[in-house]
Amino acid sequence: MNILLVGSGGREHALAWKMAQSPLLTRLVAAPGNPGVARLCEVRPELKADDAEGLAALAREIRADLVVVGPEVALAAGLADRLAAAGIPCFGPTAKAAQLETSKAFSKDLLQRHGIPTAGYGVHETVADAKAALDRFQPPYVIKADGLAAGKGVAISPDRRDAEAEIERMLGGRFGAAGARVVIEEFMDGEEGSLFALCDGQRAVLFGGAQDHKRAFDGDLGPNTGGMGAYSPAPVFTPDLVQQADERIVQPTLRAMAAEGAPYRGVLYAGLMATADGPKVVEFNARFGDPECQVLMMRMAGDIVPYLLACARDDVSGLKPPQFKPQTVICVVLAAKGYPDSPLEGSIIRGAEQDFGPHVQVFHAGTRRRSDGQLAAAGGRVLNVCAEGQDIDEARQRAYAAIRQIDWPGGFHRTDIGWRALER
Ligand code: AMP
Ligand code: GLY
């Protein structure tokens, strides 16, 4: 099989690493890819992930039997729609179905229409309207930009003054068009987890869970980020919680999307809160989580390709439930100093490409290969150090031991990834 992989982050490096092990694979091409991906397969760095036309042309050029889409920007740009028109199977939803992620108002309205558990909310277009709506909520106030904001479009405000300032900032253009509307919603108390399901437009097969660490600094302090680390399995996902989430959230969402003419194909990422009243939706994403994908790829036993292909060909019914190793896998994100606001660009990284042994993988995210062959930082989240162990403690020790061997003064990382699991 010829496969085109779209994206350039650690998620895509992990997908490339897993797919490269598939006996079904003939040729793997990644666009744009990154220097880590380039060690595994062909890359087309000149193509950007939101260039739907260029990517569809590349899929035709390499006679792709499957296109695997990593990032949401490609979905929002309509890549799946173009590929459908060209008759090329695509792992990833149409732009319409991807609204589950690209518009929080769309997903909240869908959940409400279909009685799927989530926080109570309102959608507002003007500052006056949004401020008045705060009357209906208690602090802390949860305020979200409607559109895509790279994981940074959510504010949790401790008091009304702060909430009003956030409303002014968001509706005042801080996130551009993504902030043309804001969602204000009820604060949900509980522990969060990310649950994944592989979907064929009608049905969903659960694909494991993980827990992410969204805040930049230790102790869950600092600004929200795209994710500073993850681990799987996450103890928050008891068998009971997973079953409730499948029955009350995942399957009803698939049915709702099909009924509303936007059948959902690809991976559904359900960001869930385990509340006293059971699991509720915090958000949906239309793609694998980053860095959750990295830990899932390392934990998955067997070949991923048949699963991705079954979704893309609209039939997951013949799939066996995916198997995961019992080991715990942890991923620690190394980010450039200044991330998420203004990551320092171009600092040299040494020691990241050595062999760390059988239990550790280092995936590249925002790296660049300089003309002198050295690796340099070229983004916010730069490297993902992933390790497996018999338990969370062993996995953590291996990951942090590997990090100590990487010489990168321009970077930082959290030292407490997995703390919730360790404290249990
Ligand atoms: P989101 O981008 O929607 O996942 O939001 C980012 C983070 O904000 C989530 O991971 C939660 O930690 C937090 N958050 C979002 N919505 C809520 C809510 N309704 N209640 C409590 N925390 C929330
Ligand atoms: N790690 C969170 C996300 O991928 O959105």
Side-chain angles (χ1 to χ4, degrees), residues 104 142 144 154 185-188 192 214 282-283:
K104 292 192 191 284
V142 181
K144 304 185 174 184
V154 175
E185 65 180 46
E186 170 202 345
F187 181 82
M188 295 184 285
E192 278 183 86
K214 290 192 199 264
V282 178
E283 63 160 353

Side-chain angles (χ1 to χ4, degrees), residues 307-345:
Y307 290 86
L308 305 178
L309 189 63
C311 296
R313 287 192 179 153
D314 289 347
D315 189 5
V316 297
S317 63
L319 289 176
K320 295 200 187 78
Q323 298 295 313
F324 291 91
K325 299 182 206 165
Q327 280 86 350
T328 294
V329 177
I330 177 174
C331 172
V332 181
V333 171
L334 310 194
K337 281 183 180 161
Y339 176 74
D341 294 329
S342 46
L344 192 70
E345 143 80 37

Side-chain angles (χ1 to χ4, degrees), residues 139-178:
Y141 299 99
V142 181
I143 301 157
K144 304 185 174 184
D146 174 48
L148 290 179
K152 296 158 206 159
V154 175
I156 313 275
S157 293
D159 56 51
R160 188 148 183 151
R161 249 183 67 185
D162 190 72
E164 293 191 348
E166 283 295 344
I167 287 168
E168 281 170 18
R169 273 199 288 274
M170 283 191 196
L171 287 172
R174 181 187 182 185
F175 297 111

Side-chain angles (χ1 to χ4, degrees), residues 331-361:
C331 172
V332 181
V333 171
L334 310 194
K337 281 183 180 161
Y339 176 74
D341 294 329
S342 46
L344 192 70
E345 143 80 37
S347 57
I348 305 279
I349 304 158
R350 293 188 180 85
E353 293 177 295
Q354 60 187 290
D355 181 3
F356 290 95
H359 304 297
V360 174
Q361 294 294 329

